[in-house]
PDB file of all heavy atoms in Angstrom:
ATOM      1  N   ASP A   1       3.811  -9.476  -3.011  1.00 92.00           N
ATOM      2  CA  ASP A   1       3.935  -9.753  -4.445  1.00 92.00           C
ATOM      3  C   ASP A   1       3.273  -8.697  -5.317  1.00 92.00           C
ATOM      4  O   ASP A   1       3.249  -8.828  -6.541  1.00 92.00           O
ATOM      5  CB  ASP A   1       3.326 -11.119  -4.755  1.00 92.00           C
ATOM      6  CG  ASP A   1       4.113 -12.245  -4.086  1.00 92.00           C
ATOM      7  OD1 ASP A   1       5.356 -12.231  -4.198  1.00 92.00           O
ATOM      8  OD2 ASP A   1       3.491 -13.113  -3.449  1.00 92.00           O
ATOM      9  N   CYS A   2       2.711  -7.677  -4.709  1.00 95.00           N
ATOM     10  CA  CYS A   2       2.103  -6.584  -5.472  1.00 95.00           C
ATOM     11  C   CYS A   2       3.210  -5.750  -6.119  1.00 95.00           C
ATOM     12  O   CYS A   2       4.184  -5.389  -5.457  1.00 95.00           O
ATOM     13  CB  CYS A   2       1.263  -5.718  -4.542  1.00 95.00           C
ATOM     14  SG  CYS A   2       0.592  -4.236  -5.316  1.00 95.00           S
ATOM     15  N   PRO A   3       3.103  -5.443  -7.424  1.00 95.00           N
ATOM     16  CA  PRO A   3       4.117  -4.587  -8.079  1.00 95.00           C
ATOM     17  C   PRO A   3       4.283  -3.269  -7.344  1.00 95.00           C
ATOM     18  O   PRO A   3       3.323  -2.720  -6.798  1.00 95.00           O
ATOM     19  CB  PRO A   3       3.537  -4.377  -9.481  1.00 95.00           C
ATOM     20  CG  PRO A   3       2.649  -5.554  -9.707  1.00 95.00           C
ATOM     21  CD  PRO A   3       2.057  -5.878  -8.362  1.00 95.00           C
ATOM     22  N   ARG A   4       5.513  -2.777  -7.342  1.00 95.00           N
ATOM     23  CA  ARG A   4       5.816  -1.602  -6.529  1.00 95.00           C
ATOM     24  C   ARG A   4       5.103  -0.345  -7.006  1.00 95.00           C
ATOM     25  O   ARG A   4       4.441   0.334  -6.221  1.00 95.00           O
ATOM     26  CB  ARG A   4       7.328  -1.370  -6.515  1.00 95.00           C
ATOM     27  CG  ARG A   4       8.074  -2.511  -5.825  1.00 95.00           C
ATOM     28  CD  ARG A   4       9.564  -2.309  -5.862  1.00 95.00           C
ATOM     29  NE  ARG A   4      10.242  -3.368  -5.107  1.00 95.00           N
ATOM     30  CZ  ARG A   4      11.568  -3.484  -4.985  1.00 95.00           C
ATOM     31  NH1 ARG A   4      12.347  -2.602  -5.580  1.00 95.00           N
ATOM     32  NH2 ARG A   4      12.081  -4.458  -4.282  1.00 95.00           N
ATOM     33  N   PHE A   5       5.269   0.022  -8.242  1.00 94.00           N
ATOM     34  CA  PHE A   5       4.616   1.224  -8.753  1.00 94.00           C
ATOM     35  C   PHE A   5       4.384   1.080 -10.244  1.00 94.00           C
ATOM     36  O   PHE A   5       4.898   0.164 -10.899  1.00 94.00           O
ATOM     37  CB  PHE A   5       5.438   2.493  -8.457  1.00 94.00           C
ATOM     38  CG  PHE A   5       6.882   2.417  -8.872  1.00 94.00           C
ATOM     39  CD1 PHE A   5       7.254   2.668 -10.192  1.00 94.00           C
ATOM     40  CD2 PHE A   5       7.868   2.105  -7.953  1.00 94.00           C
ATOM     41  CE1 PHE A   5       8.574   2.602 -10.572  1.00 94.00           C
ATOM     42  CE2 PHE A   5       9.200   2.034  -8.330  1.00 94.00           C
ATOM     43  CZ  PHE A   5       9.559   2.278  -9.646  1.00 94.00           C
ATOM     44  N   GLY A   6       3.587   1.997 -10.775  1.00 95.00           N
ATOM     45  CA  GLY A   6       3.252   1.956 -12.187  1.00 95.00           C
ATOM     46  C   GLY A   6       3.944   3.054 -12.963  1.00 95.00           C
ATOM     47  O   GLY A   6       4.821   3.752 -12.455  1.00 95.00           O
ATOM     48  N   HIS A   7       3.526   3.212 -14.220  1.00 95.00           N
ATOM     49  CA  HIS A   7       4.085   4.258 -15.075  1.00 95.00           C
ATOM     50  C   HIS A   7       3.479   5.614 -14.693  1.00 95.00           C
ATOM     51  O   HIS A   7       2.387   5.702 -14.138  1.00 95.00           O
ATOM     52  CB  HIS A   7       3.794   3.962 -16.545  1.00 95.00           C
ATOM     53  CG  HIS A   7       4.386   2.678 -17.024  1.00 95.00           C
ATOM     54  ND1 HIS A   7       5.750   2.462 -17.101  1.00 95.00           N
ATOM     55  CD2 HIS A   7       3.798   1.532 -17.458  1.00 95.00           C
ATOM     56  CE1 HIS A   7       5.984   1.246 -17.554  1.00 95.00           C
ATOM     57  NE2 HIS A   7       4.810   0.649 -17.776  1.00 95.00           N
ATOM     58  N   GLU A   8       4.181   6.655 -15.023  1.00 95.00           N
ATOM     59  CA  GLU A   8       3.717   8.003 -14.711  1.00 95.00           C
ATOM     60  C   GLU A   8       2.463   8.329 -15.519  1.00 95.00           C
ATOM     61  O   GLU A   8       2.356   8.002 -16.705  1.00 95.00           O
ATOM     62  CB  GLU A   8       4.818   9.021 -15.005  1.00 95.00           C
ATOM     63  CG  GLU A   8       4.614  10.349 -14.315  1.00 95.00           C
ATOM     64  CD  GLU A   8       5.865  11.217 -14.359  1.00 95.00           C
ATOM     65  OE1 GLU A   8       6.341  11.494 -15.479  1.00 95.00           O
ATOM     66  OE2 GLU A   8       6.362  11.615 -13.300  1.00 95.00           O
ATOM     67  N   ILE A   9       1.501   8.986 -14.868  1.00 96.00           N
ATOM     68  CA  ILE A   9       0.221   9.349 -15.483  1.00 96.00           C
ATOM     69  C   ILE A   9       0.143  10.861 -15.603  1.00 96.00           C
ATOM     70  O   ILE A   9       0.416  11.581 -14.645  1.00 96.00           O
ATOM     71  CB  ILE A   9      -0.958   8.826 -14.638  1.00 96.00           C
ATOM     72  CG1 ILE A   9      -0.905   7.296 -14.534  1.00 96.00           C
ATOM     73  CG2 ILE A   9      -2.287   9.272 -15.223  1.00 96.00           C
ATOM     74  CD1 ILE A   9      -1.897   6.724 -13.559  1.00 96.00           C
ATOM     75  N   ALA A  10      -0.254  11.338 -16.788  1.00 94.00           N
ATOM     76  CA  ALA A  10      -0.422  12.772 -17.038  1.00 94.00           C
ATOM     77  C   ALA A  10       0.866  13.542 -16.742  1.00 94.00           C
ATOM     78  O   ALA A  10       0.822  14.715 -16.358  1.00 94.00           O
ATOM     79  CB  ALA A  10      -1.580  13.335 -16.220  1.00 94.00           C
ATOM     80  N   SER A  11       1.997  12.866 -16.894  1.00 93.00           N
ATOM     81  CA  SER A  11       3.318  13.478 -16.711  1.00 93.00           C
ATOM     82  C   SER A  11       3.553  13.996 -15.299  1.00 93.00           C
ATOM     83  O   SER A  11       4.444  14.827 -15.094  1.00 93.00           O
ATOM     84  CB  SER A  11       3.526  14.634 -17.706  1.00 93.00           C
ATOM     85  OG  SER A  11       3.394  14.184 -19.030  1.00 93.00           O
ATOM     86  N   ILE A  12       2.776  13.488 -14.326  1.00 94.00           N
ATOM     87  CA  ILE A  12       2.953  14.008 -12.968  1.00 94.00           C
ATOM     88  C   ILE A  12       2.708  12.972 -11.888  1.00 94.00           C
ATOM     89  O   ILE A  12       3.383  12.962 -10.859  1.00 94.00           O
ATOM     90  CB  ILE A  12       2.047  15.241 -12.732  1.00 94.00           C
ATOM     91  CG1 ILE A  12       2.412  15.913 -11.399  1.00 94.00           C
ATOM     92  CG2 ILE A  12       0.572  14.872 -12.783  1.00 94.00           C
ATOM     93  CD1 ILE A  12       1.735  17.241 -11.190  1.00 94.00           C
ATOM     94  N   ILE A  13       1.756  12.035 -12.067  1.00 97.00           N
ATOM     95  CA  ILE A  13       1.350  11.130 -10.991  1.00 97.00           C
ATOM     96  C   ILE A  13       1.986   9.760 -11.150  1.00 97.00           C
ATOM     97  O   ILE A  13       1.927   9.146 -12.228  1.00 97.00           O
ATOM     98  CB  ILE A  13      -0.183  10.985 -10.957  1.00 97.00           C
ATOM     99  CG1 ILE A  13      -0.832  12.311 -10.567  1.00 97.00           C
ATOM    100  CG2 ILE A  13      -0.603   9.890  -9.982  1.00 97.00           C
ATOM    101  CD1 ILE A  13      -2.343  12.276 -10.559  1.00 97.00           C
ATOM    102  N   ILE A  14       2.586   9.267 -10.058  1.00 96.00           N
ATOM    103  CA  ILE A  14       3.131   7.911 -10.015  1.00 96.00           C
ATOM    104  C   ILE A  14       2.272   7.094  -9.051  1.00 96.00           C
ATOM    105  O   ILE A  14       2.293   7.335  -7.842  1.00 96.00           O
ATOM    106  CB  ILE A  14       4.598   7.899  -9.525  1.00 96.00           C
ATOM    107  CG1 ILE A  14       5.477   8.745 -10.461  1.00 96.00           C
ATOM    108  CG2 ILE A  14       5.124   6.471  -9.446  1.00 96.00           C
ATOM    109  CD1 ILE A  14       6.896   8.930  -9.954  1.00 96.00           C
ATOM    110  N   PRO A  15       1.485   6.131  -9.542  1.00 97.00           N
ATOM    111  CA  PRO A  15       0.680   5.277  -8.650  1.00 97.00           C
ATOM    112  C   PRO A  15       1.565   4.208  -8.021  1.00 97.00           C
ATOM    113  O   PRO A  15       2.392   3.590  -8.699  1.00 97.00           O
ATOM    114  CB  PRO A  15      -0.357   4.673  -9.589  1.00 97.00           C
ATOM    115  CG  PRO A  15       0.324   4.633 -10.927  1.00 97.00           C
ATOM    116  CD  PRO A  15       1.256   5.813 -10.963  1.00 97.00           C
ATOM    117  N   SER A  16       1.384   3.974  -6.740  1.00 97.00           N
ATOM    118  CA  SER A  16       2.307   3.083  -6.042  1.00 97.00           C
ATOM    119  C   SER A  16       1.608   2.358  -4.897  1.00 97.00           C
ATOM    120  O   SER A  16       0.592   2.815  -4.382  1.00 97.00           O
ATOM    121  CB  SER A  16       3.475   3.916  -5.485  1.00 97.00           C
ATOM    122  OG  SER A  16       4.305   3.177  -4.618  1.00 97.00           O
ATOM    123  N   LYS A  17       2.170   1.223  -4.519  1.00 97.00           N
ATOM    124  CA  LYS A  17       1.769   0.627  -3.239  1.00 97.00           C
ATOM    125  C   LYS A  17       2.505   1.363  -2.135  1.00 97.00           C
ATOM    126  O   LYS A  17       3.431   2.155  -2.400  1.00 97.00           O
ATOM    127  CB  LYS A  17       2.080  -0.858  -3.207  1.00 97.00           C
ATOM    128  CG  LYS A  17       3.561  -1.239  -3.168  1.00 97.00           C
ATOM    129  CD  LYS A  17       3.721  -2.763  -3.104  1.00 97.00           C
ATOM    130  CE  LYS A  17       5.191  -3.181  -3.055  1.00 97.00           C
ATOM    131  NZ  LYS A  17       5.340  -4.649  -3.028  1.00 97.00           N
ATOM    132  N   VAL A  18       2.128   1.150  -0.894  1.00 97.00           N
ATOM    133  CA  VAL A  18       2.724   1.893   0.200  1.00 97.00           C
ATOM    134  C   VAL A  18       4.161   1.427   0.432  1.00 97.00           C
ATOM    135  O   VAL A  18       4.425   0.229   0.602  1.00 97.00           O
ATOM    136  CB  VAL A  18       1.904   1.732   1.501  1.00 97.00           C
ATOM    137  CG1 VAL A  18       1.733   0.273   1.886  1.00 97.00           C
ATOM    138  CG2 VAL A  18       2.539   2.529   2.639  1.00 97.00           C
ATOM    139  N   PRO A  19       5.134   2.336   0.413  1.00 96.00           N
ATOM    140  CA  PRO A  19       6.490   1.966   0.813  1.00 96.00           C
ATOM    141  C   PRO A  19       6.510   1.704   2.320  1.00 96.00           C
ATOM    142  O   PRO A  19       5.847   2.414   3.089  1.00 96.00           O
ATOM    143  CB  PRO A  19       7.325   3.193   0.450  1.00 96.00           C
ATOM    144  CG  PRO A  19       6.486   3.951  -0.542  1.00 96.00           C
ATOM    145  CD  PRO A  19       5.067   3.706  -0.117  1.00 96.00           C
ATOM    146  N   LEU A  20       7.254   0.701   2.735  1.00 95.00           N
ATOM    147  CA  LEU A  20       7.355   0.370   4.158  1.00 95.00           C
ATOM    148  C   LEU A  20       8.682   0.857   4.711  1.00 95.00           C
ATOM    149  O   LEU A  20       9.708   0.817   4.025  1.00 95.00           O
ATOM    150  CB  LEU A  20       7.225  -1.138   4.363  1.00 95.00           C
ATOM    151  CG  LEU A  20       5.920  -1.783   3.879  1.00 95.00           C
ATOM    152  CD1 LEU A  20       5.949  -3.278   4.150  1.00 95.00           C
ATOM    153  CD2 LEU A  20       4.719  -1.142   4.546  1.00 95.00           C
ATOM    154  N   SER A  21       8.660   1.320   5.951  1.00 93.00           N
ATOM    155  CA  SER A  21       9.892   1.802   6.566  1.00 93.00           C
ATOM    156  C   SER A  21      10.873   0.643   6.736  1.00 93.00           C
ATOM    157  O   SER A  21      10.515  -0.538   6.660  1.00 93.00           O
ATOM    158  CB  SER A  21       9.601   2.446   7.917  1.00 93.00           C
ATOM    159  OG  SER A  21       9.226   1.452   8.866  1.00 93.00           O
ATOM    160  N   GLU A  22      12.122   0.975   6.991  1.00 91.00           N
ATOM    161  CA  GLU A  22      13.162  -0.046   7.118  1.00 91.00           C
ATOM    162  C   GLU A  22      12.953  -0.936   8.331  1.00 91.00           C
ATOM    163  O   GLU A  22      13.568  -1.999   8.431  1.00 91.00           O
ATOM    164  CB  GLU A  22      14.540   0.627   7.167  1.00 91.00           C
ATOM    165  CG  GLU A  22      14.919   1.291   5.853  1.00 91.00           C
ATOM    166  CD  GLU A  22      16.326   1.849   5.871  1.00 91.00           C
ATOM    167  OE1 GLU A  22      16.925   1.908   6.976  1.00 91.00           O
ATOM    168  OE2 GLU A  22      16.835   2.213   4.800  1.00 91.00           O
ATOM    169  N   SER A  23      12.065  -0.520   9.249  1.00 90.00           N
ATOM    170  CA  SER A  23      11.796  -1.364  10.419  1.00 90.00           C
ATOM    171  C   SER A  23      11.107  -2.669  10.009  1.00 90.00           C
ATOM    172  O   SER A  23      11.077  -3.620  10.794  1.00 90.00           O
ATOM    173  CB  SER A  23      10.922  -0.606  11.425  1.00 90.00           C
ATOM    174  OG  SER A  23       9.664  -0.292  10.854  1.00 90.00           O
ATOM    175  N   TYR A  24      10.567  -2.734   8.797  1.00 92.00           N
ATOM    176  CA  TYR A  24       9.929  -3.951   8.301  1.00 92.00           C
ATOM    177  C   TYR A  24      10.918  -4.884   7.608  1.00 92.00           C
ATOM    178  O   TYR A  24      10.549  -5.999   7.253  1.00 92.00           O
ATOM    179  CB  TYR A  24       8.817  -3.602   7.310  1.00 92.00           C
ATOM    180  CG  TYR A  24       7.580  -3.011   7.918  1.00 92.00           C
ATOM    181  CD1 TYR A  24       7.501  -1.656   8.235  1.00 92.00           C
ATOM    182  CD2 TYR A  24       6.453  -3.791   8.168  1.00 92.00           C
ATOM    183  CE1 TYR A  24       6.367  -1.101   8.795  1.00 92.00           C
ATOM    184  CE2 TYR A  24       5.298  -3.242   8.716  1.00 92.00           C
ATOM    185  CZ  TYR A  24       5.265  -1.897   9.036  1.00 92.00           C
ATOM    186  OH  TYR A  24       4.138  -1.356   9.579  1.00 92.00           O
ATOM    187  N   ASN A  25      12.141  -4.436   7.379  1.00 90.00           N
ATOM    188  CA  ASN A  25      13.072  -5.206   6.562  1.00 90.00           C
ATOM    189  C   ASN A  25      13.376  -6.591   7.117  1.00 90.00           C
ATOM    190  O   ASN A  25      13.630  -7.536   6.369  1.00 90.00           O
ATOM    191  CB  ASN A  25      14.379  -4.434   6.367  1.00 90.00           C
ATOM    192  CG  ASN A  25      14.213  -3.309   5.354  1.00 90.00           C
ATOM    193  OD1 ASN A  25      13.160  -3.182   4.732  1.00 90.00           O
ATOM    194  ND2 ASN A  25      15.250  -2.491   5.195  1.00 90.00           N
ATOM    195  N   ASP A  26      13.361  -6.729   8.447  1.00 87.00           N
ATOM    196  CA  ASP A  26      13.653  -8.033   9.044  1.00 87.00           C
ATOM    197  C   ASP A  26      12.592  -9.067   8.700  1.00 87.00           C
ATOM    198  O   ASP A  26      12.824 -10.270   8.855  1.00 87.00           O
ATOM    199  CB  ASP A  26      13.764  -7.909  10.567  1.00 87.00           C
ATOM    200  CG  ASP A  26      15.015  -7.149  10.974  1.00 87.00           C
ATOM    201  OD1 ASP A  26      15.928  -7.030  10.131  1.00 87.00           O
ATOM    202  OD2 ASP A  26      15.060  -6.664  12.118  1.00 87.00           O
ATOM    203  N   TYR A  27      11.434  -8.612   8.254  1.00 86.00           N
ATOM    204  CA  TYR A  27      10.339  -9.526   7.948  1.00 86.00           C
ATOM    205  C   TYR A  27      10.139  -9.682   6.445  1.00 86.00           C
ATOM    206  O   TYR A  27       9.152 -10.272   6.012  1.00 86.00           O
ATOM    207  CB  TYR A  27       9.048  -9.022   8.597  1.00 86.00           C
ATOM    208  CG  TYR A  27       9.238  -8.657  10.045  1.00 86.00           C
ATOM    209  CD1 TYR A  27       9.394  -7.332  10.444  1.00 86.00           C
ATOM    210  CD2 TYR A  27       9.305  -9.655  11.017  1.00 86.00           C
ATOM    211  CE1 TYR A  27       9.594  -7.006  11.767  1.00 86.00           C
ATOM    212  CE2 TYR A  27       9.502  -9.329  12.351  1.00 86.00           C
ATOM    213  CZ  TYR A  27       9.654  -8.010  12.718  1.00 86.00           C
ATOM    214  OH  TYR A  27       9.861  -7.685  14.037  1.00 86.00           O
ATOM    215  N   LEU A  28      11.059  -9.160   5.660  1.00 90.00           N
ATOM    216  CA  LEU A  28      10.935  -9.200   4.206  1.00 90.00           C
ATOM    217  C   LEU A  28      12.206  -9.753   3.569  1.00 90.00           C
ATOM    218  O   LEU A  28      13.312  -9.428   4.020  1.00 90.00           O
ATOM    219  CB  LEU A  28      10.692  -7.788   3.653  1.00 90.00           C
ATOM    220  CG  LEU A  28       9.393  -7.083   4.055  1.00 90.00           C
ATOM    221  CD1 LEU A  28       9.469  -5.605   3.681  1.00 90.00           C
ATOM    222  CD2 LEU A  28       8.212  -7.737   3.365  1.00 90.00           C
ATOM    223  N   PRO A  29      12.061 -10.539   2.497  1.00 90.00           N
ATOM    224  CA  PRO A  29      13.265 -10.947   1.752  1.00 90.00           C
ATOM    225  C   PRO A  29      13.856  -9.727   1.070  1.00 90.00           C
ATOM    226  O   PRO A  29      13.123  -8.786   0.712  1.00 90.00           O
ATOM    227  CB  PRO A  29      12.723 -11.952   0.738  1.00 90.00           C
ATOM    228  CG  PRO A  29      11.290 -11.608   0.583  1.00 90.00           C
ATOM    229  CD  PRO A  29      10.836 -11.096   1.911  1.00 90.00           C
ATOM    230  N   PRO A  30      15.141  -9.680   0.877  1.00 91.00           N
ATOM    231  CA  PRO A  30      15.781  -8.480   0.306  1.00 91.00           C
ATOM    232  C   PRO A  30      15.176  -8.027  -1.006  1.00 91.00           C
ATOM    233  O   PRO A  30      15.060  -6.831  -1.258  1.00 91.00           O
ATOM    234  CB  PRO A  30      17.237  -8.926   0.136  1.00 91.00           C
ATOM    235  CG  PRO A  30      17.427  -9.963   1.184  1.00 91.00           C
ATOM    236  CD  PRO A  30      16.121 -10.704   1.271  1.00 91.00           C
ATOM    237  N   ASP A  31      14.773  -8.983  -1.853  1.00 91.00           N
ATOM    238  CA  ASP A  31      14.262  -8.582  -3.171  1.00 91.00           C
ATOM    239  C   ASP A  31      12.820  -8.084  -3.113  1.00 91.00           C
ATOM    240  O   ASP A  31      12.285  -7.626  -4.132  1.00 91.00           O
ATOM    241  CB  ASP A  31      14.358  -9.741  -4.156  1.00 91.00           C
ATOM    242  CG  ASP A  31      13.514 -10.931  -3.733  1.00 91.00           C
ATOM    243  OD1 ASP A  31      13.338 -11.129  -2.515  1.00 91.00           O
ATOM    244  OD2 ASP A  31      13.017 -11.654  -4.617  1.00 91.00           O
ATOM    245  N   LYS A  32      12.181  -8.163  -1.954  1.00 92.00           N
ATOM    246  CA  LYS A  32      10.794  -7.700  -1.816  1.00 92.00           C
ATOM    247  C   LYS A  32      10.685  -6.384  -1.050  1.00 92.00           C
ATOM    248  O   LYS A  32       9.600  -5.840  -0.909  1.00 92.00           O
ATOM    249  CB  LYS A  32       9.954  -8.755  -1.090  1.00 92.00           C
ATOM    250  CG  LYS A  32       9.836 -10.082  -1.839  1.00 92.00           C
ATOM    251  CD  LYS A  32       9.030  -9.929  -3.118  1.00 92.00           C
ATOM    252  CE  LYS A  32       8.819 -11.271  -3.804  1.00 92.00           C
ATOM    253  NZ  LYS A  32       8.042 -11.131  -5.059  1.00 92.00           N
ATOM    254  N   ARG A  33      11.800  -5.897  -0.570  1.00 94.00           N
ATOM    255  CA  ARG A  33      11.747  -4.669   0.207  1.00 94.00           C
ATOM    256  C   ARG A  33      11.455  -3.464  -0.702  1.00 94.00           C
ATOM    257  O   ARG A  33      11.901  -3.405  -1.847  1.00 94.00           O
ATOM    258  CB  ARG A  33      13.062  -4.456   0.959  1.00 94.00           C
ATOM    259  CG  ARG A  33      13.316  -5.524   2.008  1.00 94.00           C
ATOM    260  CD  ARG A  33      14.727  -5.459   2.555  1.00 94.00           C
ATOM    261  NE  ARG A  33      14.971  -6.571   3.475  1.00 94.00           N
ATOM    262  CZ  ARG A  33      16.164  -6.910   3.929  1.00 94.00           C
ATOM    263  NH1 ARG A  33      17.241  -6.213   3.539  1.00 94.00           N
ATOM    264  NH2 ARG A  33      16.300  -7.931   4.763  1.00 94.00           N
ATOM    265  N   TYR A  34      10.691  -2.515  -0.155  1.00 94.00           N
ATOM    266  CA  TYR A  34      10.317  -1.327  -0.922  1.00 94.00           C
ATOM    267  C   TYR A  34      10.167  -0.176   0.056  1.00 94.00           C
ATOM    268  O   TYR A  34       9.203  -0.095   0.818  1.00 94.00           O
ATOM    269  CB  TYR A  34       9.010  -1.574  -1.670  1.00 94.00           C
ATOM    270  CG  TYR A  34       8.482  -0.408  -2.468  1.00 94.00           C
ATOM    271  CD1 TYR A  34       9.313   0.319  -3.325  1.00 94.00           C
ATOM    272  CD2 TYR A  34       7.147  -0.037  -2.374  1.00 94.00           C
ATOM    273  CE1 TYR A  34       8.817   1.379  -4.065  1.00 94.00           C
ATOM    274  CE2 TYR A  34       6.634   1.027  -3.109  1.00 94.00           C
ATOM    275  CZ  TYR A  34       7.477   1.740  -3.954  1.00 94.00           C
ATOM    276  OH  TYR A  34       6.977   2.787  -4.688  1.00 94.00           O
ATOM    277  N   THR A  35      11.151   0.719   0.061  1.00 94.00           N
ATOM    278  CA  THR A  35      11.180   1.838   0.991  1.00 94.00           C
ATOM    279  C   THR A  35      11.358   3.153   0.226  1.00 94.00           C
ATOM    280  O   THR A  35      11.732   3.168  -0.944  1.00 94.00           O
ATOM    281  CB  THR A  35      12.346   1.691   1.985  1.00 94.00           C
ATOM    282  OG1 THR A  35      13.586   1.784   1.249  1.00 94.00           O
ATOM    283  CG2 THR A  35      12.295   0.349   2.711  1.00 94.00           C
ATOM    284  N   PHE A  36      11.091   4.236   0.912  1.00 93.00           N
ATOM    285  CA  PHE A  36      11.340   5.542   0.303  1.00 93.00           C
ATOM    286  C   PHE A  36      12.828   5.745   0.053  1.00 93.00           C
ATOM    287  O   PHE A  36      13.210   6.403  -0.922  1.00 93.00           O
ATOM    288  CB  PHE A  36      10.797   6.658   1.195  1.00 93.00           C
ATOM    289  CG  PHE A  36       9.332   6.905   1.020  1.00 93.00           C
ATOM    290  CD1 PHE A  36       8.432   6.627   2.036  1.00 93.00           C
ATOM    291  CD2 PHE A  36       8.839   7.407  -0.180  1.00 93.00           C
ATOM    292  CE1 PHE A  36       7.075   6.854   1.858  1.00 93.00           C
ATOM    293  CE2 PHE A  36       7.479   7.633  -0.347  1.00 93.00           C
ATOM    294  CZ  PHE A  36       6.595   7.348   0.667  1.00 93.00           C
ATOM    295  N   LYS A  37      13.649   5.175   0.897  1.00 89.00           N
ATOM    296  CA  LYS A  37      15.089   5.295   0.698  1.00 89.00           C
ATOM    297  C   LYS A  37      15.492   4.688  -0.636  1.00 89.00           C
ATOM    298  O   LYS A  37      16.317   5.251  -1.375  1.00 89.00           O
ATOM    299  CB  LYS A  37      15.837   4.618   1.847  1.00 89.00           C
ATOM    300  CG  LYS A  37      17.356   4.782   1.763  1.00 89.00           C
ATOM    301  CD  LYS A  37      18.031   4.175   2.979  1.00 89.00           C
ATOM    302  CE  LYS A  37      19.551   4.380   2.904  1.00 89.00           C
ATOM    303  NZ  LYS A  37      20.238   3.795   4.084  1.00 89.00           N
TER     304      LYS A  37
END
């Protein structure tokens, strides 16, 4: 339930929670998935 990422800081930095690889998708509801893809 942690928000995925925040607004850009200093026009360069995006603060984010860790994206999880797709191997975690089976354990996550579709609307909660967060990957680099």
Side-chain angles (χ1 to χ4, degrees):
D1 295 313
C2 174
R4 295 178 176 178
F5 51 82
H7 299 295
E8 199 167 57
I9 299 171
S11 302
I12 189 171
I13 294 178
I14 300 173
S16 171
K17 69 179 180 181
V18 56
L20 300 180
S21 70
E22 293 185 349
S23 62
Y24 287 82
N25 284 354
D26 290 342
Y27 312 100
L28 296 167
D31 62 329
K32 297 293 185 180
R33 295 169 185 168
Y34 178 48
T35 65
F36 277 113
K37 184 176 182 180

